[in-house]
Amino acid sequence: MSVVAQRILLELWHTRRSLVFWVLFPALMLLLFGLIYADGEGTGDSFDDMAPSILIGAALFFSCLSGVITVLVGERERHTLKRVLLSSLSGRDYFMGIVAAFCVIAAGQAVIVYGIAYAFGGRYHGSLLLGTVIVILSVMAYVGVGFFFGARFAKSTEEVNGPVSAIGVPLLVLGGTFFPPDMLPSYLYKATHLNPVFHMNEALREVSAMGAGWAAVADHLLFLAVFAAASLLAGTRSYQRMMAREARL
Amino acid sequence: MTSEAAPAAGATTPVLAVRDLKIAFAGRPVLDGLTFEVASGEVYGLLGPNGAGKTTCINITCGLLGADAGSARVAGLAPGEGARREIGVVPQEIALYRQLTCMENLLFFAGAHDVAVQRRRERAERCLEAVQLGDRADDLVATLSGGMHRRLNVAVGLVHEPLLLILDEPTVGLDLEARQLSWELIETLRRTGTTILLTTHYLEEAEALCTRIGIMAGGRLAAEGEMAELRGRIPAAELGVIHAENPGEIERRAEGLGFEYRTAGDAVTVWLPERRRLEQVAEDFAGLSVRSLSVRPVGLEQIYQEVTAVSGRLAV
Ligand SMILES: Nc1ncnc2c1ncn2[C@@H]1O[C@H](COP(=O)(O)OP(=O)(O)OP(=O)(O)O)[C@@H](O)[C@H]1O
Ligand SMILES: [Mg+2]
């Protein structure tokens, strides 16, 4: 595994505080919404439905997006950014290292979320490979957005929490994380097709809850793949920008 | 630690060769023909007042800034040609991951500098030994003392076996004890043959640590040599600094006594050819309009003043 990924995971492991919240948050959200949407027949269907969007829309959003920003702000605050920029690491190494670290976190969150769903009768019905691809593309998209903001604007963590909650949380809601997007009025439903969270949620929900195959989610996958590629590009450019502006002794 | 030469470096290639470096910011020249070399095993001290361009020179050497003209090569390599791999930089600030152990910090930076996987641990252990932190390898950085942070900060700069270690003002803002510890560490590195470029404001620091010193003024070196040579430019054992209502009187008395002097404002600095007690100096200048009088060792300021006066340029 890349040294960057190892380092991020080790640091998280030594601190553990954020790990606790990254477990607690999706666990509570899934329990809550799984029980809210349960009907007389039992909880199986509602947990089937909620597990994928709670994982991808809620759990990954908070771990990846705020996690990446914390990583970058931390590098700045501790002056390690200079050392990183002076090393042989390329922007791509660095970005993909962060993605790899958060894929590991995402795997952990998936185990928790589906473990809870399983206890309430929910199941994963689709192809595991396809689900993994969707999760990896989603992690890349989140890391890309987080990296963009972290690299450009974030000098301290407080500075970021506001905008992330103010803009991010509505996007989650609009993306159908907490309720099916067909409940949206038609103009909002159309608008949300530009929202990557919508495509993540829809793709994983169809695969996980309905057992859909590659062809059925091809549109969502395409959108996510393009968004992920753009994220990588933006990430490497942000890195070069940091190099040009911040790599000074 | 840095004894093996890079493949590109012949026996006579200096570790660092800075040639005719020029850079201007907003039309104001900061480096204006800076030239010096650092040979293998040397500890070279780059001295100069605030804003002289020391850090700028380091930034160019590391490829973080582009020069307007001239070159800075490490082992014959320009920054774009892999020179960066041969440089270990120790930033002035502590730049470490607090939530990792000492060992984990070193392993990460070894990896970031492309040290082969199977050599990383050995390198990390060697560097920890070199800064006497061998027994703290598995302690979190957050639990170390300030002095230990400083030492680990240097160790990280060494982990990829660079040919040149660059220390930018390694002791600025440190208390006396911490400075002493840093000096000891640099001294140890010098004995093991590490080639070092260090910048500093402090003459004593350069004197204690450096094998050679270059003094910057006006964007280039105004003087260069071993400390003894540089001190030789002011043939005085000590300096008497006299503030007076009427500096002219002091000057005339100094002349009468056969002392050299320099005047700046109301202060006359008299070069005392041998050590004298304060009372003796007071007696020498008795009966004049002396406001205050002190005796001090020859310092960097005097050498600056001398070399900049000689080179006909103003210190920045
Ligand atoms: N990127 C930059 N843009 C504009 N001016 C700069 C830049 N970098 C340095 N300077 C200017 O160049 C001059 C030299 O700065 P430098 O940091 O190299 O000095 P220094 O010798 O390291 O000083 P100090 O002892 O204070 O660290 C200063 O006047 C500084 O303001
Ligand atoms: Mg400086």
Side-chain angles (χ1 to χ4, degrees):
Chain A
M1 200 198 298
S2 90
V3 285
V4 176
Q6 268 179 45
R7 189 212 94 210
I8 293 172
L9 291 171
L10 272 172
E11 251 187 315
L12 286 171
W13 179 246
H14 286 310
T15 350
R16 266 170 271 194
R17 213 184 51 185
S18 22
L19 289 183
V20 172
F21 293 115
W22 293 346
V23 167
L24 203 59
F25 174 68
L28 292 177
M29 291 305 258
L30 178 60
L31 272 175
L32 214 59
F33 281 99
L35 295 174
I36 290 172
Y37 288 124
D39 48 29
E41 324 266 292
T43 54
D45 284 351
S46 64
F47 277 83
D48 263 7
D49 271 347
M50 288 316 291
S53 66
I54 291 294
L55 172 63
I56 217 153
L60 295 193
F61 178 88
F62 277 102
S63 59
C64 297
L65 206 60
S66 63
V68 174
I69 294 174
T70 309
V71 165
L72 283 171
V73 171
E75 298 263 34
R76 270 201 195 101
E77 281 176 346
R78 293 167 308 189
H79 307 288
T80 46
L81 186 63
K82 283 179 197 172
R83 282 203 145 125
V84 168
L85 293 171
L86 268 168
S87 74
S88 314
L89 288 173
S90 69
R92 201 174 143 275
D93 297 336
Y94 190 71
F95 185 86
M96 290 313 287
I98 296 181
V99 170
F102 283 99
C103 281
V104 173
I105 305 280
Q109 290 181 313
V111 169
I112 309 269
V113 165
Y114 278 93
I116 293 171
Y118 194 89
F120 288 86
R123 295 290 179 271
Y124 182 88
H125 298 279
S127 142
L128 216 52
L129 177 65
L130 183 48
T132 307
V133 169
I134 295 170
V135 169
I136 291 174
L137 289 177
S138 307
V139 170
M140 272 186 79
Y142 284 130
V143 170
V145 174
F147 202 93
F148 182 85
F149 285 100
R152 256 155 229 257
F153 307 117
K155 296 278 173 279
S156 69
T157 328
E158 301 82 64
E159 216 177 272
V160 204
N161 286 340
V164 167
S165 340
I167 299 168
V169 176
L171 279 182
L172 294 191
V173 174
L174 197 63
T177 302
F178 304 118
F179 56 81
D182 44 31
M183 280 172 64
L184 291 169
S186 68
Y187 60 95
L188 278 184
Y189 186 72
K190 275 193 201 115
T192 200
H193 280 71
L194 292 173
N195 176 3
V197 183
F198 167 77
H199 295 280
M200 298 171 192
N201 278 335
E202 285 299 283
L204 194 63
R205 183 158 23 219
E206 284 172 34
V207 173
S208 168
M210 278 114 76
W214 293 82
V217 294
D219 287 356
H220 300 308
L221 276 185
L222 185 67
F223 185 97
L224 290 177
V226 171
F227 198 88
S231 293
L232 174 59
L233 207 72
T236 34
R237 294 214 20 193
S238 305
Y239 190 85
Q240 277 151 6
R241 200 183 133 100
M242 288 198 291
M243 188 89 115
R245 299 190 170 203
E246 296 181 49
R248 294 273 190 290
L249 293 171
Chain B
M1 208 161 274
T2 55
S3 49
E4 320 137 29
T12 55
T13 313
V15 172
L16 173 64
V18 174
R19 285 210 216 299
D20 207 20
L21 214 53
K22 292 184 181 161
I23 191 168
F25 294 114
R28 197 174 65 82
V30 167
L31 298 183
D32 188 16
L34 180 66
T35 299
F36 66 96
E37 285 187 356
V38 182
S40 179
E42 274 193 304
V43 176
Y44 191 97
L46 196 55
L47 270 72
N50 284 123
K54 305 179 293 292
T55 304
T56 302
C57 170
I58 296 176
N59 279 324
I60 294 173
T61 305
C62 297
L64 301 175
L65 262 182
D68 296 340
S71 65
R73 288 171 178 271
V74 177
L77 303 168
E81 304 165 352
R84 205 179 272 188
R85 172 68 187 71
E86 302 302 342
I87 303 173
V89 181
V90 179
Q92 198 178 304
E93 310 89 7
I94 302 294
L96 299 168
Y97 296 105
R98 292 177 58 79
Q99 297 303 329
L100 293 185
T101 66
C102 298
M103 178 56 92
E104 287 163 351
N105 266 281
L106 287 163
L107 289 176
F108 169 69
F109 284 109
H113 279 95
D114 268 345
V115 175
V117 180
Q118 61 276 15
R119 297 206 54 227
R120 286 179 199 164
R121 187 158 290 272
E122 178 218 322
R123 280 301 309 156
E125 278 163 4
R126 288 271 290 277
C127 290
L128 282 174
E129 290 302 330
V131 300
Q132 285 140 39
L133 286 173
D135 53 338
R136 307 302 293 263
D138 297 322
D139 291 359
L140 286 184
V141 169
T143 66
L144 301 183
S145 72
M148 292 174 182
H149 285 155
R150 294 253 146 226
R151 273 153 41 206
L152 187 61
N153 207 33
V154 173
V156 169
L158 289 167
V159 75
H160 59 293
E161 274 185 290
L163 284 172
L164 176 67
L165 186 69
I166 298 182
L167 306 168
D168 193 13
E169 312 222 13
T171 60
V172 77
L174 295 191
D175 64 28
L176 227 62
E177 198 186 345
R179 177 173 302 178
Q180 197 58 44
L181 284 170
S182 291
W183 283 18
E184 280 167 24
L185 175 57
I186 297 168
E187 177 63 26
T188 312
L189 294 173
R190 187 173 65 75
R191 276 201 304 272
T192 54
T194 312
T195 310
I196 299 177
L197 171 67
L198 73 81
T199 69
T200 179
H201 295 289
Y202 305 114
L203 190 66
E204 327 84 76
E205 182 158 297
E207 184 161 31
L209 301 173
C210 299
T211 53
R212 223 146 53 85
I213 292 165
I215 298 181
M216 289 182 73
R220 58 174 72 178
L221 287 197
E224 187 183 45
E226 289 173 15
M227 196 60 219
E229 281 171 54
L230 294 176
R231 269 203 195 284
R233 296 194 175 212
I234 300 184
E238 277 180 326
L239 302 169
V241 182
I242 303 167
H243 288 264
E245 304 275 343
N246 182 356
E249 276 177 12
I250 308 288
E251 292 175 345
R252 280 189 295 281
R253 177 74 58 88
E255 257 164 54
L257 291 162
F259 297 157
E260 278 242 34
Y261 61 85
R262 298 284 183 269
T263 310
D266 72 338
V268 182
T269 303
V270 181
W271 297 8
L272 305 169
E274 67 236 15
R275 286 182 169 269
R276 288 168 92 80
R277 290 213 318 274
L278 190 61
E279 303 89 272
Q280 284 176 284
V281 182
E283 238 168 71
D284 289 340
F285 293 90
L288 304 179
S289 59
V290 174
R291 258 200 240 119
S292 74
L293 185 151
S294 60
V295 173
R296 56 176 77 152
V298 177
L300 188 56
E301 314 88 84
Q302 281 73 41
I303 297 185
Y304 275 144
Q305 274 162 20
E306 280 309 295
V307 297
T308 52
V310 168
S311 73
R313 290 172 164 275
L314 288 174
V316 184

